[in-house]
């Protein structure tokens, strides 16, 4: 009996029943009780055009039904959500994450090459588990930048129904029962021209470009409020740049108290004797300076510049203190009456 | 579908009282034919059958009303109408049940027709719907057939 799963050119990895799709929290919605339909080989992946299992669910009241758009193989290769094609960890576009972490796009664009590559990777993922690292452990600077850009709260507005194009033209005859939104499209029309394949591969994505530009501008070393900070944090270093090089470069702006190099993190700390000196150095190196033909990124150091180790330790203790057990706050507010543990039986109106 | 002529034995004369209801039934039949021949321009794919379902409901409703509510026709005439196909016996059987008095069509209570094994959205009372947006169910275009609405 010909197995339908193998008919599409040996796509036998989809045969292994996928229980749950790879999704981000915003796509799933605010309701913890979600009903999903599963359809094996329901549609073809928008990227690789292979048939895969689609999952379809309602991400909350008043939202449109969402479904998985790309196959799990494509999603795993880029560590993105199967529906929104945004990074699973940060919720950022692929282009933003890849530029921050300097990841190259290895998926070939041309059809036959792509199919072969994806088939090979699908097998490899199955056998070896996840070989690709997207956490950016090797790039702390990039990781910081990403952390800054991540949304703190899930953005459920993304799950709303699409705008009624007939309404925009003034021709919607469905009126009140129209399931699409009767609002005018808001936001920059430039950002509206998005293409799923471009967004996936991480090139020519207008949203990503906008985000990166904004990050670069805000990066231009705004002076911190704490007037006692006199240290600059240098990123993007490597073995060729020595302490002496940094000293030479920065002593021109002011007297240096110390220069500490952290080879493991490819970074360094420049501690100035005076605040004015630090500010002068920051202004001079707006956006990046070149030391020994190595482009460096500067940032203000965190308070109490004792040394790299103590800094990191302080940072770690600060962040862990602020973290509270999940679910302890806000457990009194319920989005759905079914979430109320004290409710007994059906709730009438 | 009505006015079936059986091949062998032509049916006996329609029972008494037929002449009073006959013009209305012909009107319904004309409406049904119009609905069947409507052009499908400007309509959604599912929307084209909605008028047919509506006329079917109305016709069955007429016969149900005559017999059960107004008691204006005899049992014999009622059975004759159902047999000749002027009213849907299955739909009328539902109307006799509590909670289904205003049921729109039989498709909307069929759980096999839905993704999650529920009934159609039109069966939900408007009070519970809590959205403020009118729904037209996909099967028959019904906007709410719960008995409380």
């Amino acid at each position: 009996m010909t197995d339908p799963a193998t008919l599409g050119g040996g796509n036998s990895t989809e045969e292994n029943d996928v229980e749950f799709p790879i999704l981000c929290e915003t796509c799933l919605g605010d309701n913890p009780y979600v009903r999903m339909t599963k359809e094996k080989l329901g549609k073809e992946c928008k990227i690789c055009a292979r048939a895969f299992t689609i999952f379809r669910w309602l991400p909350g009241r008043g939202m449109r039904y969402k479904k998985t758009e790309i196959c799990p193989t494509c999603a795993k290769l880029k560590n993105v959500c199967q529906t929104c094609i945004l990074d699973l960890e940060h919720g950022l576009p692929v282009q933003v994450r890849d530029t921050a972490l300097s990841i190259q796009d290895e998926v070939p664009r041309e059809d036959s090459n792509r199919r072969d590559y994806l088939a090979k990777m699908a097998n490899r993922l199955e056998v070896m588990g996840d070989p690709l690292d997207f956490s950016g452990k090797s790039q702390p600077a990039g990781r910081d930048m990403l952390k800054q850009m991540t949304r703190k709260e899930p953005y459920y507005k993304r799950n709303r129904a699409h705008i009624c194009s007939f309404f925009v033209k003034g021709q919607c005859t469905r009126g009140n029962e129209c399931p699409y939104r009767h609002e005018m499209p808001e936001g920059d029309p430039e950002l509206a021209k998005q293409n799923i394949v471009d967004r996936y591969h991480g090139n020519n994505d207008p949203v990503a470009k906008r985000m990166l530009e904004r990050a670069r501008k805000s990066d231009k070393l705004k002076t911190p409020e704490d007037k006692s900070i006199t240290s600059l944090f240098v990123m993007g270093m490597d073995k060729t740049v020595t302490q002496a090089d940094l000293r030479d470069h920065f002593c021109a702006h002011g007297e240096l108290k110390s220069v500490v190099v952290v080879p493991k993190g490819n970074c360094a700390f420049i501690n100035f004797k005076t605040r004015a000196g630090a500010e002068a150095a920051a202004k001079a190196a707006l956006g990046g300076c070149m030391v020994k033909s190595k482009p460096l990124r500067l940032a203000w150091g965190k308070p109490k510049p004792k040394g790299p180790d103590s800094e990191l330790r302080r940072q770690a203790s600060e962040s862990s203190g602020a973290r509270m057990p999940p679910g302890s706050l806000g457990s009194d507010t319920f989005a759905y009456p079914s979430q109320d543990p004290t409710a007994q039986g059906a709730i009438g109106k | 579908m009505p006015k079936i002529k059986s091949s062998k034995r032509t049916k006996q004369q329609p029972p008494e009282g037929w002449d009073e209801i006959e013009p209305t039934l012909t009107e319904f039949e004309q409406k049904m034919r119009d609905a069947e021949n409507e052009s499908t321009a400007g309509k959604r794919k599912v929307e084209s059958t909605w008028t047919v379902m509506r006329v079917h409901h109305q016709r069955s409703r007429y016969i149900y009303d005559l017999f059960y509510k107004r008691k204006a026709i005899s049992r014999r005439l009622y059975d004759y109408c159902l047999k000749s196909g002027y009213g849907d016996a299955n739909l009328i059987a539902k109307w006799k049940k509590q909670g289904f008095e205003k049921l729109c069509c039989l498709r909307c209570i069929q759980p096999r027709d839905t993704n999650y094994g529920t009934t159609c959205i039109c069966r939900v009372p408007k009070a519970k719907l809590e959205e403020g947006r009118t729904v037209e169910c996909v099967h028959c275009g019904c906007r709410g057939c719960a008995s409380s609405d």
Side-chain angles (χ1 to χ4, degrees), chain A residues 260-337:
Chain A
V260 185
V261 174
V262 186
K264 206 169 177 198
N266 293 336
C267 57
F269 289 89
I270 320 277
N271 304 316
F272 283 86
K273 275 234 170 84
T274 62
R275 166 71 178 209
E279 282 181 4
K283 216 196 296 182
L286 262 187
C289 55
M290 293 281 275
V291 173
K292 243 190 157 165
S293 70
K294 193 96 182 82
L296 301 178
R297 273 188 63 231
L298 289 194
W300 283 100
K302 306 292 194 310
K304 281 241 202 96
K306 275 255 161 81
D309 272 304
S310 69
E311 284 229 15
L312 294 171
R313 230 176 276 140
R314 269 196 90 254
Q315 280 185 28
S317 65
E318 272 175 3
S319 55
S320 62
R323 214 176 296 131
M324 289 216 259
S328 60
L329 294 175
S331 54
D332 295 331
T333 52
F334 304 105
Y336 293 91

Side-chain angles (χ1 to χ4, degrees), chain A residues 174 177, chain B residues 38 40 42-54 107 136-142:
Chain A
R174 293 176 77 171
E177 69 98 11
Chain B
E38 265 171 355
T40 51
K43 283 199 197 161
R44 316 206 298 269
K45 189 166 113 179
V46 291
E47 207 179 323
S48 21
T49 36
W50 286 356
T51 25
V52 174
M53 308 285 272
R54 229 174 95 222
R107 282 176 77 187
E136 277 185 345
C137 90
V138 73
H139 299 300
C140 53
C142 169

Side-chain angles (χ1 to χ4, degrees), chain A residues 77-143:
Chain A
L77 284 176
K78 293 275 184 186
N79 199 23
V80 290
C81 166
Q82 272 186 269
T83 320
C84 60
I85 330 265
L86 297 178
D87 187 62
L88 287 173
E89 274 178 56
H90 309 283
L92 297 170
V94 174
Q95 190 173 0
V96 172
R97 186 211 46 206
D98 285 358
T99 28
L101 302 180
S102 313
I103 299 174
Q104 304 287 39
D105 173 32
E106 284 174 6
V107 183
R109 307 293 167 84
E110 200 204 41
D111 278 338
S112 44
N113 288 355
R114 185 163 59 189
R115 222 182 305 134
D116 286 344
Y117 177 82
L118 288 172
K120 187 165 57 115
M121 291 308 276
N123 275 326
R124 199 193 300 174
L125 282 174
E126 216 183 88
V127 171
M128 285 177 26
D130 197 61
L132 308 155
D133 171 39
F134 289 96
S135 61
K137 284 196 197 88
S138 50
Q139 305 263 9
R143 201 150 40 111

Side-chain angles (χ1 to χ4, degrees), chain A residues 156-175:
Chain A
Y156 294 127
K157 273 175 140 192
R158 201 197 292 159
N159 299 338
R160 291 177 302 176
H162 292 132
I163 299 223
C164 181
S165 61
F166 290 98
F167 174 77
V168 171
K169 290 187 277 187
Q171 289 171 9
C172 185
T173 49
R174 293 176 77 171

